[in-house]
Amino acid sequence: MSIERVPVEVCKGVNGLEKIVLREVRGSSAELYFYGGHVTSWKNDHGEELLFLSSKAIFKPPKAIRGGIPICFPQFGSLGPLEQHGFARNRFWSIDNDPPPFPTNSSNKAFVDLILKPSEEDMKVWPHRYEFRLRVTLGPGGDLMLTSRIRNTNTDGKPFTFTFAYHTYFSVSDVSEVRVEGLETLDYLDNLRDKERFTEQGDAITFESEFDKIYLSTPTKIAILDHEKKRTFVLRKDGLPDAVVWNPWDKKAKAMADFGDDEYKHMLCVEAAAWAIGSSKGSPRGIAQADLVHPCTGSLAASGDQFYQ
């Protein structure tokens, strides 16, 4: 086997930050940084990038990396007193050398287990002890799966709640030519209207201006159709009942230092999320389900479409 096909490799990334490269024998790959436990790249077996990463992304702690799949924990957005999207995306994670067994262990060799535990500084702003275990797996067909398991390790047995999201940035040809299916007729909270609650219309979602909505009680499957690239992303999720759809459009894009003025045209965030999850003492799971699972499965169909599920 050539060096290029080593399934797991730790190496230096941007600004000397360490990253992990996962490679599948057929040619697909994924990259994630210890900083944030952050997936920054996922390519199919043709070498085509499927995730958006801003050309102005700042790989310099404590700034979060703009694009890829940031992990929002223990707070999503501004839903609480912490900094925007919590602090997991701004912390250095470690290799988990002794992960608990997974119920769906397979023969995949391209995977890595990371773990995050709170520092004393973290405890000052969010006074709960936990173990956050993240497995990132690149499957035989180029599938990408993120599995999160959060265990409450508070010594006093005190439960805690948190909000959560995989803030996935999809790479698209032109957001105005993209539509999202699977969220029709669902209730949502509009972040552009002080989280006022509305019901989505019966048609697929399309984009012609800034968009920032939290959809409630969503199905396990959501499709993002990119007509120009003839590519369909299918996001499948388990244990994460909600979904966020976001695009900053032109004015907010220009206001972000780590985002190109016109890059909003080539990205769309569709995020598996949870408003609130409870974790009892010693439990490896929240109320939602045994695992917070965000399977991202990529396979090449005869039509040339790319499926992300």
Side-chain angles (χ1 to χ4, degrees):
M1 179 182 292
S2 67
I3 188 71
E4 286 77 15
R5 292 272 70 84
V6 171
V8 183
E9 179 186 6
V10 177
C11 57
K12 295 291 185 182
V14 180
N15 288 340
L17 293 174
E18 280 196 317
K19 68 179 181 181
I20 302 155
V21 181
L22 305 178
R23 299 184 181 92
E24 201 279 321
V25 66
R26 294 178 182 87
S28 59
S29 66
E31 296 183 5
L32 63 152
Y33 280 74
F34 285 97
Y35 179 60
H38 194 134
V39 176
T40 56
S41 174
W42 175 46
K43 295 179 180 179
N44 62 20
D45 54 9
H46 293 290
E48 297 168 332
E49 182 59 66
L50 304 178
L51 298 178
F52 167 85
L53 183 70
S54 174
S55 62
K56 294 189 175 183
I58 300 170
F59 286 76
K60 187 176 182 180
K63 179 68 177 177
I65 300 168
R66 176 70 67 184
I69 310 179
I71 293 175
C72 302
F73 172 87
Q75 176 182 301
F76 169 72
S78 57
L79 300 175
L82 302 178
E83 61 188 288
Q84 177 87 353
H85 294 324
F87 49 72
R89 64 181 188 151
N90 309 98
R91 299 295 184 266
F92 282 92
W93 295 54
S94 304
I95 292 285
D96 186 1
N97 292 312
D98 189 27
F102 274 70
T104 56
N105 273 334
S106 70
S107 59
N108 292 339
K109 294 181 179 180
F111 70 89
V112 66
D113 289 294
L114 298 182
I115 187 168
L116 178 69
K117 297 180 182 180
S119 67
E120 292 307 313
E121 290 301 310
D122 293 338
M123 292 287 292
K124 292 177 183 178
V125 296
W126 200 64
H128 303 291
R129 295 195 179 278
Y130 62 87
E131 293 176 348
F132 188 145
R133 286 183 159 89
L134 171 69
R135 173 170 287 191
V136 180
T137 304
L138 188 64
D143 347 357
L144 182 66
M145 177 180 284
L146 277 67
T147 306
S148 291
R149 299 193 288 184
I150 300 161
R151 184 182 182 91
N152 183 342
T153 57
N154 279 333
T155 55
D156 59 5
K158 184 179 179 181
F160 59 75
T161 59
F162 56 91
T163 52
F164 181 95
Y166 291 116
H167 199 320
T168 308
Y169 287 72
F170 290 95
S171 174
V172 299
S173 55
D174 182 346
V175 71
S176 63
E177 298 295 327
V178 169
R179 73 178 193 267
V180 175
E181 296 181 352
L183 301 175
E184 301 88 345
T185 73
L186 297 182
D187 283 1
Y188 66 86
L189 306 177
D190 194 336
N191 283 325
L192 303 180
R193 297 187 181 182
D194 295 322
K195 294 184 173 61
E196 189 175 348
R197 187 164 180 153
F198 299 92
T199 300
E200 190 59 73
Q201 301 303 306
D203 299 327
I205 298 167
T206 56
F207 305 91
E208 55 186 24
S209 61
E210 183 182 355
F211 201 98
D212 192 355
K213 297 178 181 179
I214 304 171
Y215 290 86
L216 308 174
S217 302
T218 59
T220 57
K221 175 182 173 181
I222 301 169
I224 303 100
L225 290 77
D226 185 338
H227 302 288
E228 187 173 321
K229 286 187 176 180
K230 294 188 171 73
R231 175 179 293 155
T232 299
F233 295 98
V234 180
L235 184 153
R236 296 187 186 274
K237 58 191 179 66
D238 189 12
L240 294 167
D242 309 314
V244 180
V245 181
W246 177 69
N247 184 288
W249 222 251
D250 55 348
K251 288 185 180 179
K252 283 195 177 174
K254 291 177 181 177
M256 292 187 284
D258 61 347
F259 197 94
D261 289 356
D262 293 323
E263 287 186 330
Y264 73 92
K265 298 176 182 178
H266 306 298
M267 55 73 62
L268 180 66
C269 287
V270 181
E271 313 164 28
W275 260 108
I277 297 175
S279 181
S280 60
K281 172 70 176 73
S283 172
R285 51 185 68 109
I287 291 171
Q289 219 261 344
D291 293 326
L292 305 182
V293 184
H294 179 263
C296 315
T297 305
S299 61
L300 190 64
S303 65
D305 291 357
Q306 184 66 36
F307 294 92
Y308 175 110
Q309 58 190 49

